[in-house]
Amino acid sequence: MKAVLFDMDGVLIDSEIFYMEGTLKWMRELGYTGTFEEVCEIIGTTMNVTYEMILELLEHRYTMEEVRKINVTYFTEHPLEFPAVAKPGSLELLKRCKELGLQTALCSSSSRKAIDAAVQGCGFGPYLDFIVSGEQFKESKPHPEIYLHAAGELNLKPEDCVVVEDSQYGIEAGKAAGMKVVALCDHRLPNKQDEADIIVDHLNEVKELVEKWA
């Protein structure tokens, strides 16, 4: 192993439950009567795909622009608080990767604006060699493009990289890229993680794996 490629939401920051519960709340106000599990299917997608899936759940009673505006307004009024949302052990894991001489990349489906806010707010910047947003690509996770691109930027082969993910789409993307995938489990969310090579409950376990594989 020569590099660790990290997803952001649900991996380095504890944001997925925050976003899913918030999204469910404003969707309920628009008349959504489906389940929390159905809403959670948007996890790991880019914002454009997220909005398309939400429109389906809302049975196209609203326009894309209306949904986008409502979502942005809600989360502007209810923002994430950095660095409080950093996952326990996230900074220590990134520091350990650098101590071991490993390259690191942040490969998130979130917007670059959201990524930069999290990286700055949580102090991840000094420990990341490369940052990329899924919105830079035509294909989003589960397509492997984002991870293959990151490996290329680091001048590494896919088999030299380990992916740390949480969502089904992200896990599928890492596997499709030909990389080993470690899934971080969050028992509050219905993520399907069966395709991961290893499933862990805490980032300290990822650190132990990194020390073993480095």
Side-chain angles (χ1 to χ4, degrees):
M1 180 182 64
K2 298 179 180 178
V4 186
L5 313 184
F6 295 93
D7 178 41
M8 183 178 77
D9 294 291
V11 173
L12 292 180
I13 62 173
D14 189 16
S15 53
E16 295 288 27
I17 191 70
F18 172 83
Y19 284 129
M20 293 307 99
E21 290 180 344
T23 300
L24 178 65
K25 183 175 181 179
W26 68 253
M27 287 179 66
R28 290 282 191 230
E29 294 174 355
L30 296 184
Y32 174 67
T33 59
T35 67
F36 178 63
E37 288 73 20
E38 288 175 310
V39 174
C40 287
E41 291 181 10
I42 69 176
I43 292 175
T45 63
T46 62
M47 288 310 301
N48 285 338
V49 175
T50 288
Y51 289 134
E52 290 172 1
M53 294 174 71
I54 289 174
L55 281 174
E56 288 285 341
L57 292 175
L58 292 173
E59 299 176 338
H60 294 277
R61 295 192 299 270
Y62 302 87
T63 66
M64 175 77 77
E65 187 54 39
E66 287 173 329
V67 166
R68 190 190 309 273
K69 183 177 180 180
I70 292 168
N71 183 67
V72 170
T73 299
Y74 179 89
F75 287 109
T76 298
E77 295 175 351
H78 305 83
L80 283 171
E81 295 183 6
F82 302 113
V85 295
K87 279 270 191 178
S90 57
L91 201 56
E92 291 79 7
L93 172 56
L94 290 171
K95 289 179 180 179
R96 187 58 177 148
C97 286
K98 303 317 296 178
E99 291 171 355
L100 293 168
L102 299 171
Q103 296 192 73
T104 57
L106 181 55
C107 307
S108 172
S109 294
S110 293
S111 68
R112 186 58 191 248
K113 180 179 179 180
I115 294 171
D116 289 344
V119 168
Q120 181 177 357
C122 295
F124 297 148
Y127 310 103
L128 292 168
D129 295 300
F130 182 64
I131 298 173
V132 62
S133 165
E135 293 191 337
Q136 296 174 217
F137 307 103
K138 180 179 180 181
E139 301 287 349
S140 61
K141 300 175 185 178
H143 195 281
E145 185 174 14
I146 189 170
Y147 284 122
L148 292 173
H149 177 79
E153 288 292 325
L154 297 175
N155 294 313
L156 296 175
K157 298 177 182 177
E159 56 265 32
D160 294 328
C161 303
V162 170
V163 168
V164 184
E165 268 283 358
D166 67 315
S167 72
Q168 178 182 354
Y169 293 141
I171 291 167
E172 290 176 356
K175 293 301 294 180
M179 301 175 182
K180 181 175 289 187
V181 178
V182 178
L184 181 63
C185 184
D186 186 335
H187 296 283
R188 300 168 296 177
L189 295 167
N191 284 323
K192 297 177 182 178
Q193 301 181 324
D194 295 347
E195 293 188 30
D197 294 285
I198 299 175
I199 302 174
V200 300
D201 289 318
H202 196 283
L203 288 178
N204 283 343
E205 295 175 76
V206 179
K207 183 161 72 71
E208 292 174 0
L209 290 171
V210 165
E211 291 170 342
K212 177 182 178 181
W213 293 337

